[in-house]
Amino acid sequence: MLPAIAGPVTPERLLACAEAVGETTEWVRERLNAYADMFGLNMTPVEHEDGEGR
């Protein structure tokens, strides 16, 4: 069974979902962003090495 997500989506949850579906966390983030509004997801910004959130 795949993990269910609602509300805040933390980097840890992205990693768990990526492992569950055999994809990268970036792939999962992009897919979830497409449906964030529909499912009420709050995508937590990720800090990059340059200090900018995404």
Side-chain angles (χ1 to χ4, degrees):
M1 181 190 314
L2 296 176
I5 295 181
V9 180
T10 64
E12 293 81 16
R13 289 298 294 154
L14 283 175
L15 180 58
C17 291
E19 290 173 352
V21 297
E23 292 289 348
T24 65
T25 55
E26 187 59 32
W27 183 90
V28 172
R29 173 177 284 284
E30 289 176 14
R31 295 296 293 173
L32 291 178
N33 270 330
Y35 301 101
D37 289 338
M38 184 185 310
F39 292 106
L41 302 177
N42 177 6
M43 303 301 290
T44 304
V46 175
E47 288 291 323
H48 291 277
E49 290 179 10
D50 61 7
E52 292 187 22
R54 183 169 158 192

